[in-house]
Amino acid sequence: MRFSTIFVSAALTLAALSSSIIQATPVPVREPGAVIHEAIAADPHSAALVKRTSAGFNNWSCKPSALHPRPLVLVHGLSANAIDNWFYMAPRFVAKGYCVFALSYGQLYGIPIVYGLDKMENSAQQLSDYVDRVLKATNTTQVDILGHSQGSIMPRYYLRFLGGAPKFAAIGSIQYGTNILGLVNLLTPLGLYDPIKAVFDTVCLSCFQFLENSEFIKNLNAGGDTVPDVKYLMITSKLEETVTPYTNGFLRDKSPNVKNVVLQNDYCSLDVSEHALQAVDPIVFNAVHAFLTPSADQTINCLDALN
Ligand SMILES: *[C@@H]1O[C@H](CO)[C@@H](O)[C@H](O)[C@H]1NC(C)=O
Ligand SMILES: *[C@@H]1O[C@H](CO)[C@@H](O)[C@H](O)[C@H]1NC(C)=O
């Protein structure tokens, strides 16, 4: 889905919802179980998905193995949630032997299913709290993180200001924001940036943070975009319609710890994943698995699509 389409549909949906359910008090962070329960209650389609796909992840009794000693925390994108973003990848990581945990974060006004709307500083704090809970449950000291879209950038706020992780993989990477096919550069000259932002901020505090040169992005990347002792894998696609230009998905620090890849250049020229489809792409899955697990097959190519 195009970012602009997301913007418009999110704005309309949320404006309609929020008029009836906006509350004056902040909404507390929900337990993952409660989140899933609410999603199921609100949406039979999600219920079917959960039944079919959740087996094995968010298992708080999971014991990390010697091969995968660190739990893997999955971070969804804008307007998504732990289930609909990760129904493909989470069970596959479980099948490879990882302990896998996916949170839903950034809820506003108690609106169900549609997450990632709060400002990313708040969501990063939720991620931090969640990671602490995973560490405690699994009796470990470190997790690795995989994020998609908003999940490709919000965790960098966590890595820089709140906590750490040895490895961070990002898909649908959006490190320097999107210019929405150049649209963003037209807003200021037309005097529309602030008025449109004001409307969005009532229903989606993260939305304008994703734009190229937002205050959030400038702050996050000031003085360098990586932190020491974290290994980064940033996956982008030439077919991106959401992150434009797609090269804004690259990290720019010259560091041996950074690997920026373009699906079609580095893995498979025929790969058709644009932004959303990266979350259901076996080539992307294998690339992230290889990054997280050095003993895994490191050869990623078009044949991986047959998995
Ligand atoms: C959760 O993990 C425990 C410990 O490994 C295991 O015995 C149990 O079967 C798992 N539960 C599910 C639903 O996968
Ligand atoms: C947690 O891990 C530590 C260090 O590996 C170990 O000594 C301890 O027994 C573990 N605790 C539990 C409850 O498994």
Side-chain angles (χ1 to χ4, degrees), residues 50-105:
V50 170
K51 220 173 181 171
R52 206 165 65 232
T53 61
S54 74
F57 72 100
N58 287 350
N59 178 353
W60 295 92
S61 310
C62 189
K63 299 274 171 273
S65 64
L67 185 58
H68 306 290
R70 297 186 297 272
L72 177 61
V73 171
L74 305 178
V75 185
H76 64 73
L78 174 64
S79 82
N81 61 54
I83 303 301
D84 71 14
N85 209 132
W86 299 115
F87 71 90
Y88 175 83
M89 288 210 182
R92 279 165 179 76
F93 280 113
V94 170
K96 293 280 188 195
Y98 298 79
C99 288
V100 180
F101 297 89
L103 81 162
S104 294
Y105 65 87

Side-chain angles (χ1 to χ4, degrees), residues 13 16 30 38 115 117 137 148 182 188 204 252 267 273:
T13 313
R30 304 301 179 84
E38 282 167 19
Y115 286 75
L117 302 173
H148 183 204
T188 303
C204 175
R252 297 177 186 171
Y267 301 141
S273 293

Side-chain angles (χ1 to χ4, degrees), residues 140-272:
T140 50
T141 55
Q142 292 179 314
V143 300
D144 291 328
I145 299 174
L146 164 63
H148 183 204
S149 196
Q150 177 170 190
S152 81
I153 183 168
M154 178 275 273
R156 282 214 300 116
Y157 188 94
Y158 165 73
L159 293 175
R160 182 158 185 179
F161 299 113
L162 304 174
K167 292 189 178 176
F168 174 45
I171 69 178
S173 179
I174 184 171
Q175 306 311 324
Y176 281 80
T178 176
N179 64 20
I180 318 184
L181 306 166
L183 196 63
V184 171
N185 305 321
L186 298 175
L187 293 180
T188 303
L190 292 173
L192 292 174
Y193 192 95
D194 289 333
I196 294 182
K197 180 174 185 300
V199 172
F200 268 98
D201 282 355
T202 62
V203 288
C204 175
L205 289 166
S206 64
C207 282
F208 263 60
Q209 293 187 313
F210 300 121
L211 302 188
E212 202 174 59
N213 294 319
S214 73
E215 287 306 312
F216 178 82
I217 284 175
K218 282 195 281 194
N219 177 38
L220 187 59
N221 294 330
D225 53 21
T226 59
V227 292
D229 303 324
V230 179
K231 287 192 165 58
Y232 298 85
L233 174 68
M234 303 288 114
I235 298 183
T236 59
S237 165
K238 279 186 161 172
L239 303 180
E240 264 288 354
E241 77 293 53
T242 300
V243 183
T244 58
Y246 71 88
T247 49
N248 276 7
F250 296 159
L251 287 169
R252 297 177 186 171
D253 281 2
K254 296 276 171 273
S255 158
N257 287 343
V258 172
K259 192 170 178 200
N260 294 312
V261 304
V262 181
L263 277 176
Q264 293 80 8
N265 294 350
D266 294 84
Y267 301 141
C268 175
S269 60
L270 303 173
D271 196 301
V272 293

